[in-house]
Amino acid sequence: MTLIASRVDSDIERLISQLQQLIRVPSVSAKKQLTLTKCAELVSKIMSDCGITSELLKLDDTLDRNSEQVSPIVYGEVKSKSNPNGRTILFYNHYDVQPAEPIELWHDDPFSGKIDGNFICGRGASDDKGELITRIKAVEYFLKETGDVPCNVKFLVEGEEEIGSSHLEQYLTKYRNKFSCDGIIWEFGYVDEHERPIISLGMKGLLCVEVHAKCANVDLHSSLAALVENPAWRLVHALKTIRDENGKINIKNWNSDIRDFTPEELECIRQEEFDISSFKKNYGLDHVFNEDDLQEAKKANVGGVTSNISGLFSGYIGEGSKTVLPSTAMAKLDFRLVPDMMPQKQFQLLREHLDNNDFQDIQLKFVSGEPACRIPIDDNFVKLVEASAREEYGQVVKSVSSAGTGPMWYFNNILRCPCVSIGCTFKYSRIHSPNEFVRIDLLKKTTKCMGNIIEKFGNTAANN
Ligand SMILES: [Zn+2]
């Protein structure tokens, strides 16, 4: 049991009230609200009140003058007095939140932080203000209990996570020395319906593109379809060559850079639970890819590539009919990438694929790209986090990667150390949806778990 366990229980009211303060400052990054900076200042103040040295970091003053708003990063640090040359842990979190809309579906004001029994409700209650507070308080409790922290601790709390962490790479590069560390605890971590924390060791990458087809220089009368090609058909034909009906991508060399799963990773995937029939029932599906081969389906979920059409537009889509032959057609595509694919290279392969299939006229636009990251399952830091979680939760679940995308690659690549996801977010806590909540019992357990991690990390030799 961690040194701080009893303080977590006796001080829980203060943790809750500080979390409520955070929820009450709406920090919706999508709306570029002024309250974003106010929220950053509040995070910094809470850190200072908890004994953590804190400051706001900016990217570039000239950017501010040019009115391009870049949210500040809140940086926090506590050096261990007894172990200053020991290891350093970095907590990555974010203070921005998703928009609360549709407001009418909330039972209460989304920014009230209202308590209802074991639940604290509000936008950001779990994602990510709840996660953040468990980490700040774990550090505070060590300082109060022992006057010191077992290992050096750093915080990086950004304000643009919910809009794609667009300046994080620049921040990490600029402040690389300040952020230097030996292990990173990722911003989120789920707890499943059996009360087991899910330790997740990776994130998929992402390539987002636009595909444009253009034929005539203006929209035409559709009788001219006897003579003139339709860009929507042109686009459909081009898209059809990219992926087959079973989801397999048909672009030459697309999978060349994929890193194979290790035997340990395959075993971890085998042990993960996935109930295909309840998944189908939940989403009203009568078929999912690879449903006859459970292991293949699970492998695809955590480590498979995808090609998804996220938007299609051309012609007239209003009421009734309009016999128009449109002049343009456009599709938005996203491709999930896995280690070690690089977005720019995959984009080039897509371009070559279209050219080689006589679609040189189709225009491609690179919208955004992020590489994937996967931390080796036998890394010592992974083992330490697992042991720490086991002490609080009993059982834990390990997952080789989340199916989603996040900026883990930048941390891993720039700071050169492992990242592990572990946290307090109940799987069904409605993050990004109306009536988001966090469970108070999980806030307590997770704060204790963070205490275990800090303690064990302090006990590891720096050269280990
Ligand atoms: Zn989120």
Side-chain angles (χ1 to χ4, degrees):
M1 198 170 65
T2 170
L3 271 171
I4 63 168
S6 63
R7 200 174 272 272
V8 174
D9 294 322
S10 61
D11 260 12
I12 191 68
E13 292 307 323
R14 180 103 183 103
L15 182 152
I16 292 170
S17 77
Q18 284 172 326
L19 175 55
Q20 286 176 308
Q21 284 176 35
L22 287 168
I23 294 170
R24 286 172 191 152
V25 182
S27 46
V28 181
S29 44
K31 298 184 180 176
K32 293 269 172 208
Q33 288 171 310
L34 288 174
T35 41
L36 267 167
T37 305
K38 210 177 140 198
C39 192
E41 284 161 359
L42 177 61
V43 171
S44 180
K45 181 177 182 303
I46 291 175
M47 281 188 186
S48 305
D49 291 346
C50 293
I52 300 163
T53 309
S54 166
E55 63 179 307
L56 298 193
L57 302 181
K58 288 195 174 162
L59 203 49
D60 185 352
D61 293 331
T62 54
L63 278 180
D64 294 0
R65 255 180 270 133
N66 293 339
S67 86
E68 187 199 343
Q69 283 182 27
V70 180
S71 297
I73 276 182
V74 188
Y75 175 71
E77 184 175 355
V78 184
K79 246 195 160 1
S80 171
K81 289 179 212 154
S82 57
N83 195 12
N85 300 318
R87 312 191 109 199
T88 302
I89 196 162
L90 183 134
F91 292 106
Y92 163 54
N93 285 90
H94 60 94
Y95 60 84
D96 64 322
V97 296
Q98 286 279 322
E101 283 81 0
I103 307 277
E104 64 277 12
L105 295 184
W106 286 77
H107 303 316
D108 289 290
D109 174 357
F111 301 104
S112 68
K114 190 179 164 181
I115 298 174
D116 183 4
N118 188 29
F119 305 98
I120 305 170
C121 305
R123 173 55 82 234
S126 275
D127 177 13
D128 191 44
K129 293 169 175 176
E131 298 282 11
L132 171 63
I133 202 73
T134 63
R135 297 156 184 205
I136 293 177
K137 299 305 274 188
V139 173
E140 181 195 21
Y141 297 155
F142 274 110
L143 292 172
K144 285 210 168 130
E145 203 67 35
T146 68
D148 196 10
V149 277
C151 66
N152 301 312
V153 182
K154 293 179 178 177
F155 286 87
L156 185 170
V157 189
E158 70 151 321
E160 298 181 328
E161 196 276 342
E162 301 291 9
I163 51 168
S165 301
S166 29
H167 297 93
L168 188 62
E169 185 185 10
Q170 284 168 269
Y171 269 117
L172 285 169
T173 307
K174 179 172 179 184
Y175 296 102
R176 150 194 331 245
N177 293 332
K178 210 176 196 54
F179 297 140
S180 75
C181 59
D182 304 288
I184 296 163
I185 298 293
W186 201 244
E187 46 105 358
F188 72 87
Y190 293 108
V191 177
D192 74 8
E193 59 274 54
H194 308 294
E195 306 291 305
R196 299 174 303 193
I198 301 168
I199 296 176
S200 176
L201 304 178
M203 311 234 44
K204 284 190 183 176
L206 192 62
L207 166 65
C208 295
V209 301
E210 278 178 15
V211 191
H212 293 263
K214 183 168 167 46
C215 292
N217 52 10
V218 286
D219 285 5
L220 300 175
H221 190 287
S222 76
S223 62
L224 289 170
L227 301 170
V228 180
E229 174 60 304
N230 178 315
W233 273 119
R234 190 80 190 131
L235 187 66
V236 167
H237 290 308
L239 294 177
K240 175 95 172 83
T241 66
I242 291 175
R243 203 206 78 164
D244 76 8
E245 286 167 9
N246 297 311
K248 184 174 164 283
I249 297 174
N250 287 328
I251 300 170
K252 198 175 158 200
N253 295 330
W254 191 257
N255 295 343
S256 302
D257 293 340
I258 294 182
R259 188 200 307 166
D260 281 340
F261 287 120
T262 64
E264 293 78 23
E265 285 170 340
L266 287 172
E267 184 49 35
C268 178
I269 294 169
R270 211 180 311 280
Q271 284 178 16
E272 264 185 72
E273 284 171 29
F274 181 43
D275 183 343
I276 289 193
S277 57
S278 77
F279 177 84
K280 282 161 64 177
K281 194 163 167 248
N282 259 317
Y283 293 111
L285 304 167
D286 46 40
H287 172 70
V288 298
F289 296 139
N290 290 309
E291 67 181 293
D292 300 326
D293 188 338
L294 184 62
Q295 179 72 353
E296 276 309 307
K298 291 198 288 185
K299 272 166 67 180
N301 192 39
V302 297
V305 293
T306 66
S307 161
N308 178 56
I309 299 176
S310 55
L312 264 179
F313 180 76
S314 184
Y316 175 73
I317 52 167
E319 201 183 333
S321 65
K322 179 186 181 192
T323 48
V324 63
L325 196 170
S327 65
T328 62
M330 189 268 273
K332 284 182 181 279
L333 305 188
D334 63 67
F335 296 87
R336 296 280 163 186
L337 309 177
V338 301
D340 297 310
M341 301 165 114
M342 295 307 284
Q344 285 289 359
K345 182 174 174 193
Q346 301 301 129
F347 179 76
Q348 204 46 46
L349 290 172
L350 174 61
R351 177 71 267 171
E352 285 163 20
H353 167 84
L354 292 173
D355 292 347
N356 294 337
N357 286 277
D358 285 328
F359 290 105
Q360 293 94 336
D361 56 309
I362 298 278
Q363 288 184 15
L364 267 187
K365 187 178 154 199
F366 183 98
V367 177
S368 62
E370 204 170 319
C373 179
R374 197 188 295 148
I375 304 301
I377 208 162
D378 57 358
D379 189 287
N380 282 333
F381 187 57
V382 175
K383 290 179 187 158
L384 181 148
V385 171
E386 189 182 351
S388 304
R390 218 176 271 287
E391 283 177 26
E392 290 313 318
Y393 289 90
Q395 282 181 301
V396 301
V397 177
K398 252 185 306 183
S399 171
V400 299
S401 174
S402 155
T405 297
M408 196 180 269
W409 186 85
Y410 298 111
F411 280 90
N412 187 234
N413 194 54
I414 296 171
L415 302 183
R416 304 235 162 251
C417 65
C419 310
V420 178
S421 269
I422 174 101
C424 67
T425 300
F426 179 54
K427 199 172 159 188
Y428 299 112
S429 56
R430 304 190 191 124
I431 61 170
H432 295 209
S433 302
N435 303 305
E436 177 178 349
F437 65 83
V438 67
R439 278 171 41 188
I440 295 172
D441 63 326
L442 292 183
L443 286 171
K444 283 191 194 174
K445 268 189 174 173
T446 305
T447 306
K448 292 175 190 172
C449 173
M450 293 302 157
N452 285 334
I453 293 172
I454 293 170
E455 227 168 292
K456 288 187 200 298
F457 210 51
N459 290 332
T460 339
N463 57 0
N464 188 344

